[in-house]
Amino acid sequence: MASTPGTRARRASVDKLAPSLPPMGMSSNAGPTIATPAGPVPAPLAATNADVGLGGAIPAVVSAVVDRADQVGTLVMYYVRQGMHTHAGRACVDGVRAHLDEPTMSFWKSFAMLFEGRITEAIRELQGIQGKLGVRMQATAALLYAHNQCTDTDGEAISSLSAQLEEFTKSASFKSVTDAAYFFLYTKQYDKARDMVKKAESMQPGSVQGLVIHGWVDLLCGREAIANKSHRFFDEALAKSSSPDLEALLGLAKYMDMNKKYTQALDYLNKAIALHTWFAPALLEKARVLIAMDDWDQAMETLRRIMAKEPQNTEALQLIIMQLLCREGNYQAAVTKISDLTSALDRLESQNAALYHTCGKAFSRIAGRSAIVLKAAQVLIERAISLQPKNSDFITEAGHIQYLQGNFTNGLTQFKAALKLNESNIEAMYGLIKCQLYLKNVSEAEKQIEFLLEIQSSLDTSVELTYITGLLKWIKSTDMEESARLFTSAVDLHFKTLCNIPPGMDFFVKFNADMLLDIAKQYLQHYADEPLDAAAPIPPVMKKATELLEIVSKTIPGQLECLYLLAKTRYIMNDLESAQSSLDQCLRLDPSYADGFLLLSQLHLAHGLFKQALQAVGDAFTREFNMRSNSLYYLLRAKAHFGMGSVMEAIKDCNNGLDLPGIRKPMPADTTKITLQGREFVLAPHTTVSLYIQLANCYAANSQLPLANQTLTQCLEAFRGTAEEIRIIIAQSDLLAKNGDTTGALTLLGRVDESNVYYIRAQCVMANIYLVHNNDRVNYIHCFERLTALPTKSTHSLLLLADAFTRVQEIERAIETYQRALALCPEDQDIAIKLGKAYVATHDFEQAIKYYRSALHSDSASASTPTVSNSTINTQLRYDLAELLAKLHRFSEAESVVADITGRSKGVSCSDLSNAGKFQLLLAQVHSAAGMADRTIEDLIKAKELHTTLLNKMKNEQPDQVNATKAILSDIYVKIADHFTSINDQLHAQSNYLEALQHNEGNKQAMISLAKLYFTRNNSGDVDLCYQQCIAILRDDPTNEEASLIMADLMERKGDLVGASRHLQQILEGKQDNLSALERLVLLLQRGGKLDELPPIFTSTASKLHSPNAGLPYCKGLYYRFTKHIPEAVEQFNMARHDPEWGIKAKMNMIQLYLGEEGDMFMDEDRPGGESSASSIASAKELMRELPETFQQSIDFRVMENMCLILTRNKSLCEQANTALTKIVGPEEAPPAHLGALIALAIGHMALKQAPKARNQLRRLTKIPITNENLGRLERGHVLLAHLCIQNGKNEQALEYIEKCLEVNRSCSKAYELYGLIKEKEGLHKEAADKYVVAWNISRRTDLTVGYKLAFNYLKAKKYLESIDVCNRILQLNDKYPKIKREILDKARTTLRL
């Protein structure tokens, strides 16, 4: 601060007296001037300082007395501004003990006493210092104020003090004038404060202290025009001070905060924290600003720093409690902190009744009617009342807490007591009336309201009074329209009053979330707990309730009841996705919220998830055992059981619900609630009727039609003349229609008069009967035309008619009707969007594009200032147009439409960011379709950045939409990862997949793609990660096909063919038409040697296919091929030959069959039919010509062409083929470039009788690792090698190759046949027969060559019966099979007789 000469002289003397004391931080704050003593300074009492703490802590060691005096002065002013009078008083006591200007310290201590309600003590203290120089004027002003606060005023004393004040003012010093200015400011005597400021400026023009007090007086005077200019005085003070003045910094921070310039406020506070490290309250102010900025994370971090130093900091505790209640909804933790705060106040502010009251009032307003929080708030209010028993405001708040707890009688008593103390206490009057209304003392409440309305006519309109009047209208006459109008007026007026209040404790008190929620509940009580009929328009009050709840949930996202009501409202409006999002947030805040689980059950039922719905009802019961007294509980159980097919259980549930008190057994006429096991339950007629209807449906499903009709008749009798009557009639008509009596159903529905609120629904049900049951399109349309003919013209009726035209494919008439609706309501975006989609449905795409462009042009020209509605329509129409152009491959036009809006999108609101991100994704889609990979990835990265910004913003502004945004962002990361996968950048692909799962751990596509990525790497660590991903997917979704397929691949890779087959069979059990899984299963069972398991699977699959699918004959073709049923295989493949999905593979198999299994003809030329005929080669070539041109350019095709040459056995053609194949395979010293070509080359050498060359080529296979892709080729190569080894007499080596073959295919009949041949040559006929019989069984006893060898070896092994059986089987298939009868069968029979 700028020092006066006197101050500088005193500082010099102090420095001489206490040179050994360590210096304090440099301070130049312009708080109240506190003179310093001229003698030695004793140390203050440490205990006093410890009691005060950081919330305002007083430095524990007096270092430099002048700095100490400035610090104490600043702290005192801060505490006074914050209403922490005990802290201020203790600071003054500490200052007195430190000999820091004792009269001034005593004055401010007396001031603190005044505001603690200790008026007599304060007067005594002030009288003791009134005669002292330097404080005479301010002490006299304080005495005058104190006398005016007394219940019994002393007129003579007041006159005397007024005269003394006038006299002392004339001779007051600059210090006295500034102290008086502060005093008048904090006692809200703003005009007197401004007079003192003017006097101070005349005494010391331009002084820093004068400028600072001028700034504070103007800032806090309550006059906006003056407050808006207050910053200039703080700025000037900072410019004139040698180092930034602390009070000026705090003043500027406060000014910026009040004007919502939070960033600048934060800058000033950070400067104060850095330059004045001793001033701990600056951290609290920083936390408050961060909260105002909605940066709760940093605010909490700042508060944690404060609490780490002082666990009982009262102001920090208040902010932490606010965070727990407003943001987290953690009521239990909040109660613990409120208890800590109460203890801290008892210790540090035990006489501060106002602070107890402020805290209790604030917490009760944001408690969400939590019983435990309200009880804790009640303790605070009771503390305040104990200090000031006659304070009407405190007793009013006690009554309000009773009202919030539902104790209306106790609340009424408290409000009456408050009014007795202060008849003009309007808040007590409002509370009294509300209690009277809820206690049904309507006449008395009405008188009070009439009186207040008369008073209000001369005053401003009251929010609370408007709200209470609406409540009266509803309770007295159930006038929904008028009460809704009054509620809406109250809400509009309420939000106007909140505009200029910055976020903080005061804001949340005045926000009055409880009143807003009560209004929303009043809106919602007119509607049932079930979704509105899809045909019915959304009522305006329902929309108002949604808007109101969205505002409350955005402002106080921890408000549990608000989130539940918002979810419920969205559910009723059929916005199931948003309802789920709000409910998820609600249950995250309180997983024990039973009503939330009932709503979750309703959402599951709406999605057809009956098992999950039943589980949710069970969860509700486990959290609240008296749930069995709730009729909705039984209704939901019944619906879930009915959906699962458990009709008898559903009937039992319905009857249990109907047997509850007040449902079947009548209750008093005015009874709307019952209390069971300590909890109130509303007797909801809608739920009761739903139970009856559900019971009737159950009886009908159980073929008990008389009981079904009886149930609905009973229900109709009980609710005749009520709003529920039409629902029952509609249910009766639905039952008649289901049983074929459509005439009776239509007759019932025809009785519903057009004046009835259910008329629209009745007509929609009639229309459905005409269309679905009678196939009568004409009358179907007539039903909706009758709605459009109603006297009240409604766009909704036109939309129903247009949708009906669309349903029966009369698109042109639908377009005409949409146009009529749009003419009635041009601002309705849904109609404009539906009209565009109708144009697209006509497939007249040019006309659709023309409409979109025209609509966009007219929307742009319709208003010079676009409205939100216009903007939304424009955005969606642009999106639809761009999407259509992209589908038509008009990429440049689509890009132009999207780029136009992304280029102009500069908004930073959640809506703006969401739209920008949506269009950026569409632009990526356009560029991807156009094959522009680089542009696509750029678009995706921009979309990711936009949605990341949106997510951070939504966390504070729209927390119920956070999950939906995370899901979109997760999908974007998947798209980015897919791009990196496509270019084989596995590292970046993996990081993006993991990022996707960070944002949405349930993103199945990310999990599947990541599992596939791990699988392709084929190392032990990644295989384990792949396995973990698949297990995680299957845990949540046991029927997930892709995960099961990957698990099958993993099992197969590990050699666990049984486990792999099990996973594939599980897929087929869940989805019989997954023929890709069936194909994999065929191949696996072939490898596992279990082909005999396939026929039942084929039969089951065929029975469950809804339409023919070429995949099934293809799979059967594989089975017949593997079992050597060649004609049947060809027949089945031929059935799949022309299918776009299965055709190519079917043709490839047919070609291989026509050419003979690779090499078989050269291994056993005596096999009947082994030699390929010219006709077979011709058939193969014809099939090859049918293959796509792209395939005909492949190496596989060239290999097949050369095989055709080899199979002619023409030497020159074989040599020509070998030359071509050698070029494909590559040199012998290198790994073969193509396994198929290598095997074909070996066969070519065999055809030319070049066995060694064939053997040398095939040995190259031994170095090739086994993979799923090369299994078949390796199997065939090892069989050929084994054959060549046997020819060369190397049986041991042949057995090694046979074992390798059987490792990859336990169904390889040729391998078993060669195995038997080796044993036969060794004379081991029993062992030979054991191998031949396996090959024989694999072919399902149809391979005659194998059968002959088996019969021969049975004969040699003296198994004559077995030999005879095999011979008979062969002769049954071919009665002219050579040699078998004479050489085997006859010999076996002869030997057997002997």
Side-chain angles (χ1 to χ4, degrees), residues 39 43 149 235 262 270 435 492 534 582 607 729 781 859 869 908 923 971 1052 1170 1178 1273 1336 1384:
Q149 298 302 305
D235 287 332
Y262 301 123
N270 284 332
C435 287
D492 292 342
S582 297
H607 288 296
I729 291 174
I781 294 296
D859 276 336
S869 179
V908 293
L923 194 59
D971 290 339
E1052 186 178 0
R1273 297 276 169 71
W1336 174 243
I1384 302 176

mmCIF file of all heavy atoms in Angstrom, residues 39 43 149 235 262 270 435 492 534 582 607 729 781 859 869 908 923 971 1052 1170 1178 1273 1336 1384:
data_model
loop_
_atom_site.group_PDB
_atom_site.id
_atom_site.type_symbol
_atom_site.label_atom_id
_atom_site.label_comp_id
_atom_site.label_asym_id
_atom_site.label_seq_id
_atom_site.Cartn_x
_atom_site.Cartn_y
_atom_site.Cartn_z
ATOM 1 N N GLY A 39 6.531 0.031 21.006
ATOM 2 C CA GLY A 39 7.379 -0.746 21.886
ATOM 3 C C GLY A 39 7.591 -2.149 21.394
ATOM 4 O O GLY A 39 7.176 -2.521 20.316
ATOM 5 N N ALA A 43 4.922 -12.143 21.404
ATOM 6 C CA ALA A 43 4.383 -13.129 20.448
ATOM 7 C C ALA A 43 2.919 -13.392 20.758
ATOM 8 O O ALA A 43 2.509 -13.434 21.913
ATOM 9 C CB ALA A 43 5.160 -14.441 20.550
ATOM 10 N N GLN A 149 -30.676 -1.826 16.516
ATOM 11 C CA GLN A 149 -30.964 -3.251 16.394
ATOM 12 C C GLN A 149 -31.624 -3.817 17.635
ATOM 13 O O GLN A 149 -32.135 -4.943 17.596
ATOM 14 C CB GLN A 149 -29.656 -4.029 16.136
ATOM 15 C CG GLN A 149 -28.949 -3.656 14.853
ATOM 16 C CD GLN A 149 -29.832 -3.855 13.636
ATOM 17 O OE1 GLN A 149 -30.369 -4.935 13.407
ATOM 18 N NE2 GLN A 149 -29.965 -2.796 12.843
ATOM 19 N N ASP A 235 -8.206 -0.948 -10.666
ATOM 20 C CA ASP A 235 -7.137 -0.853 -11.665
ATOM 21 C C ASP A 235 -6.186 0.285 -11.333
ATOM 22 O O ASP A 235 -4.950 0.139 -11.399
ATOM 23 C CB ASP A 235 -7.736 -0.629 -13.065
ATOM 24 C CG ASP A 235 -8.390 -1.882 -13.621
ATOM 25 O OD1 ASP A 235 -7.958 -2.987 -13.232
ATOM 26 O OD2 ASP A 235 -9.320 -1.767 -14.430
ATOM 27 N N TYR A 262 -14.761 -15.327 -15.858
ATOM 28 C CA TYR A 262 -14.094 -16.197 -14.895
ATOM 29 C C TYR A 262 -12.599 -16.366 -15.176
ATOM 30 O O TYR A 262 -11.804 -16.513 -14.247
ATOM 31 C CB TYR A 262 -14.798 -17.553 -14.869
ATOM 32 C CG TYR A 262 -16.249 -17.453 -14.500
ATOM 33 C CD1 TYR A 262 -17.240 -17.941 -15.353
ATOM 34 C CD2 TYR A 262 -16.656 -16.858 -13.311
ATOM 35 C CE1 TYR A 262 -18.581 -17.848 -15.022
ATOM 36 C CE2 TYR A 262 -17.994 -16.756 -12.970
ATOM 37 C CZ TYR A 262 -18.959 -17.251 -13.836
ATOM 38 O OH TYR A 262 -20.281 -17.144 -13.508
ATOM 39 N N ASN A 270 -4.772 -16.028 -9.118
ATOM 40 C CA ASN A 270 -3.464 -16.695 -9.225
ATOM 41 C C ASN A 270 -2.338 -15.731 -8.890
ATOM 42 O O ASN A 270 -1.345 -16.107 -8.252
ATOM 43 C CB ASN A 270 -3.280 -17.262 -10.630
ATOM 44 C CG ASN A 270 -4.085 -18.529 -10.848
ATOM 45 O OD1 ASN A 270 -4.352 -19.272 -9.909
ATOM 46 N ND2 ASN A 270 -4.482 -18.787 -12.080
ATOM 47 N N CYS A 435 -48.222 -26.417 3.136
ATOM 48 C CA CYS A 435 -48.573 -27.450 4.115
ATOM 49 C C CYS A 435 -50.086 -27.616 4.204
ATOM 50 O O CYS A 435 -50.601 -28.740 4.291
ATOM 51 C CB CYS A 435 -47.996 -27.102 5.485
ATOM 52 S SG CYS A 435 -46.209 -27.334 5.598
ATOM 53 N N ASP A 492 -40.952 -19.794 -16.009
ATOM 54 C CA ASP A 492 -40.371 -18.733 -16.847
ATOM 55 C C ASP A 492 -39.884 -17.575 -15.987
ATOM 56 O O ASP A 492 -38.778 -17.048 -16.191
ATOM 57 C CB ASP A 492 -41.403 -18.233 -17.863
ATOM 58 C CG ASP A 492 -41.744 -19.289 -18.903
ATOM 59 O OD1 ASP A 492 -40.947 -20.246 -19.040
ATOM 60 O OD2 ASP A 492 -42.789 -19.165 -19.567
ATOM 61 N N ALA A 534 -47.993 -44.915 -29.679
ATOM 62 C CA ALA A 534 -47.178 -44.415 -30.791
ATOM 63 C C ALA A 534 -47.983 -43.515 -31.717
ATOM 64 O O ALA A 534 -47.429 -42.633 -32.390
ATOM 65 C CB ALA A 534 -46.604 -45.592 -31.582
ATOM 66 N N SER A 582 -30.148 -41.730 -19.122
ATOM 67 C CA SER A 582 -30.438 -41.045 -17.857
ATOM 68 C C SER A 582 -30.531 -42.044 -16.702
ATOM 69 O O SER A 582 -30.048 -41.784 -15.602
ATOM 70 C CB SER A 582 -31.753 -40.263 -17.967
ATOM 71 O OG SER A 582 -31.653 -39.261 -18.941
ATOM 72 N N HIS A 607 -37.694 -53.323 -25.091
ATOM 73 C CA HIS A 607 -36.750 -53.869 -26.074
ATOM 74 C C HIS A 607 -36.966 -55.360 -26.312
ATOM 75 O O HIS A 607 -36.231 -55.967 -27.100
ATOM 76 C CB HIS A 607 -35.310 -53.637 -25.612
ATOM 77 C CG HIS A 607 -34.866 -52.202 -25.703
ATOM 78 N ND1 HIS A 607 -34.758 -51.529 -26.892
ATOM 79 C CD2 HIS A 607 -34.512 -51.324 -24.739
ATOM 80 C CE1 HIS A 607 -34.352 -50.291 -26.660
ATOM 81 N NE2 HIS A 607 -34.202 -50.137 -25.365
ATOM 82 N N ILE A 729 -61.929 -51.083 -23.321
ATOM 83 C CA ILE A 729 -62.676 -51.396 -24.542
ATOM 84 C C ILE A 729 -61.716 -51.777 -25.666
ATOM 85 O O ILE A 729 -61.956 -52.740 -26.406
ATOM 86 C CB ILE A 729 -63.550 -50.192 -24.955
ATOM 87 C CG1 ILE A 729 -64.682 -50.005 -23.936
ATOM 88 C CG2 ILE A 729 -64.108 -50.371 -26.359
ATOM 89 C CD1 ILE A 729 -65.522 -48.762 -24.164
ATOM 90 N N ILE A 781 -57.066 -46.910 -44.669
ATOM 91 C CA ILE A 781 -56.800 -45.498 -44.959
ATOM 92 C C ILE A 781 -57.947 -44.628 -44.460
ATOM 93 O O ILE A 781 -57.729 -43.534 -43.919
ATOM 94 C CB ILE A 781 -56.576 -45.301 -46.471
ATOM 95 C CG1 ILE A 781 -55.296 -46.017 -46.918
ATOM 96 C CG2 ILE A 781 -56.508 -43.811 -46.818
ATOM 97 C CD1 ILE A 781 -54.017 -45.472 -46.315
ATOM 98 N N ASP A 859 -35.388 -22.518 -46.577
ATOM 99 C CA ASP A 859 -35.071 -22.355 -45.145
ATOM 100 C C ASP A 859 -34.092 -21.222 -44.923
ATOM 101 O O ASP A 859 -34.182 -20.467 -43.974
ATOM 102 C CB ASP A 859 -34.483 -23.649 -44.572
ATOM 103 C CG ASP A 859 -35.577 -24.622 -44.168
ATOM 104 O OD1 ASP A 859 -36.696 -24.157 -43.900
ATOM 105 O OD2 ASP A 859 -35.321 -25.834 -44.141
ATOM 106 N N SER A 869 -34.823 -23.781 -34.607
ATOM 107 C CA SER A 869 -35.586 -24.758 -35.375
ATOM 108 C C SER A 869 -35.141 -24.781 -36.823
ATOM 109 O O SER A 869 -34.918 -25.824 -37.410
ATOM 110 C CB SER A 869 -37.079 -24.414 -35.268
ATOM 111 O OG SER A 869 -37.841 -25.306 -36.002
ATOM 112 N N VAL A 908 -19.626 -23.395 -30.525
ATOM 113 C CA VAL A 908 -18.929 -24.199 -29.511
ATOM 114 C C VAL A 908 -19.910 -24.832 -28.536
ATOM 115 O O VAL A 908 -19.500 -25.427 -27.549
ATOM 116 C CB VAL A 908 -17.912 -23.333 -28.728
ATOM 117 C CG1 VAL A 908 -16.787 -22.883 -29.636
ATOM 118 C CG2 VAL A 908 -18.600 -22.119 -28.096
ATOM 119 N N LEU A 923 -18.464 -36.901 -44.076
ATOM 120 C CA LEU A 923 -17.433 -36.554 -45.055
ATOM 121 C C LEU A 923 -16.417 -37.686 -45.182
ATOM 122 O O LEU A 923 -15.964 -38.016 -46.292
ATOM 123 C CB LEU A 923 -16.736 -35.251 -44.626
ATOM 124 C CG LEU A 923 -15.860 -34.556 -45.676
ATOM 125 C CD1 LEU A 923 -16.677 -34.194 -46.906
ATOM 126 C CD2 LEU A 923 -15.237 -33.295 -45.085
ATOM 127 N N ASP A 971 -16.590 -45.593 -31.596
ATOM 128 C CA ASP A 971 -16.751 -46.083 -32.971
ATOM 129 C C ASP A 971 -15.795 -45.379 -33.930
ATOM 130 O O ASP A 971 -15.306 -45.983 -34.888
ATOM 131 C CB ASP A 971 -18.197 -45.880 -33.437
ATOM 132 C CG ASP A 971 -19.175 -46.801 -32.717
ATOM 133 O OD1 ASP A 971 -18.718 -47.835 -32.183
ATOM 134 O OD2 ASP A 971 -20.374 -46.482 -32.683
ATOM 135 N N GLU A 1052 -8.402 -74.534 -32.633
ATOM 136 C CA GLU A 1052 -7.852 -75.297 -33.745
ATOM 137 C C GLU A 1052 -6.336 -75.110 -33.822
ATOM 138 O O GLU A 1052 -5.586 -76.060 -34.056
ATOM 139 C CB GLU A 1052 -8.508 -74.848 -35.050
ATOM 140 C CG GLU A 1052 -8.108 -75.693 -36.252
ATOM 141 C CD GLU A 1052 -8.820 -75.253 -37.519
ATOM 142 O OE1 GLU A 1052 -9.615 -74.287 -37.466
ATOM 143 O OE2 GLU A 1052 -8.562 -75.864 -38.570
ATOM 144 N N GLY A 1170 -10.176 -94.658 -61.976
ATOM 145 C CA GLY A 1170 -9.084 -93.783 -61.574
ATOM 146 C C GLY A 1170 -8.590 -92.925 -62.697
ATOM 147 O O GLY A 1170 -8.090 -91.839 -62.499
ATOM 148 N N ALA A 1178 -12.891 -81.988 -69.994
ATOM 149 C CA ALA A 1178 -13.696 -80.984 -70.693
ATOM 150 C C ALA A 1178 -14.669 -80.301 -69.729
ATOM 151 O O ALA A 1178 -14.868 -79.077 -69.767
ATOM 152 C CB ALA A 1178 -14.446 -81.640 -71.837
ATOM 153 N N ARG A 1273 -3.163 -78.631 -48.671
ATOM 154 C CA ARG A 1273 -2.036 -78.870 -49.575
ATOM 155 C C ARG A 1273 -0.939 -79.686 -48.891
ATOM 156 O O ARG A 1273 -0.332 -80.589 -49.505
ATOM 157 C CB ARG A 1273 -1.473 -77.518 -50.044
ATOM 158 C CG ARG A 1273 -2.498 -76.694 -50.864
ATOM 159 C CD ARG A 1273 -2.501 -77.104 -52.309
ATOM 160 N NE ARG A 1273 -3.589 -76.575 -53.095
ATOM 161 C CZ ARG A 1273 -3.737 -75.299 -53.463
ATOM 162 N NH1 ARG A 1273 -2.887 -74.385 -53.057
ATOM 163 N NH2 ARG A 1273 -4.741 -74.948 -54.231
ATOM 164 N N TRP A 1336 -12.133 -97.481 -44.901
ATOM 165 C CA TRP A 1336 -13.422 -97.994 -45.377
ATOM 166 C C TRP A 1336 -14.607 -97.266 -44.696
ATOM 167 O O TRP A 1336 -15.563 -96.855 -45.356
ATOM 168 C CB TRP A 1336 -13.449 -99.495 -45.087
ATOM 169 C CG TRP A 1336 -14.710 -100.251 -45.345
ATOM 170 C CD1 TRP A 1336 -15.475 -100.893 -44.426
ATOM 171 C CD2 TRP A 1336 -15.345 -100.500 -46.609
ATOM 172 N NE1 TRP A 1336 -16.534 -101.528 -45.013
ATOM 173 C CE2 TRP A 1336 -16.486 -101.307 -46.375
ATOM 174 C CE3 TRP A 1336 -15.045 -100.126 -47.931
ATOM 175 C CZ2 TRP A 1336 -17.335 -101.729 -47.388
ATOM 176 C CZ3 TRP A 1336 -15.912 -100.572 -48.935
ATOM 177 C CH2 TRP A 1336 -17.025 -101.350 -48.669
ATOM 178 N N ILE A 1384 -11.837 -114.171 -52.857
ATOM 179 C CA ILE A 1384 -11.962 -113.834 -51.420
ATOM 180 C C ILE A 1384 -13.233 -114.439 -50.822
ATOM 181 O O ILE A 1384 -13.167 -115.213 -49.849
ATOM 182 C CB ILE A 1384 -11.948 -112.306 -51.204
ATOM 183 C CG1 ILE A 1384 -10.659 -111.695 -51.769
ATOM 184 C CG2 ILE A 1384 -12.117 -111.963 -49.731
ATOM 185 C CD1 ILE A 1384 -10.590 -110.198 -51.686
#
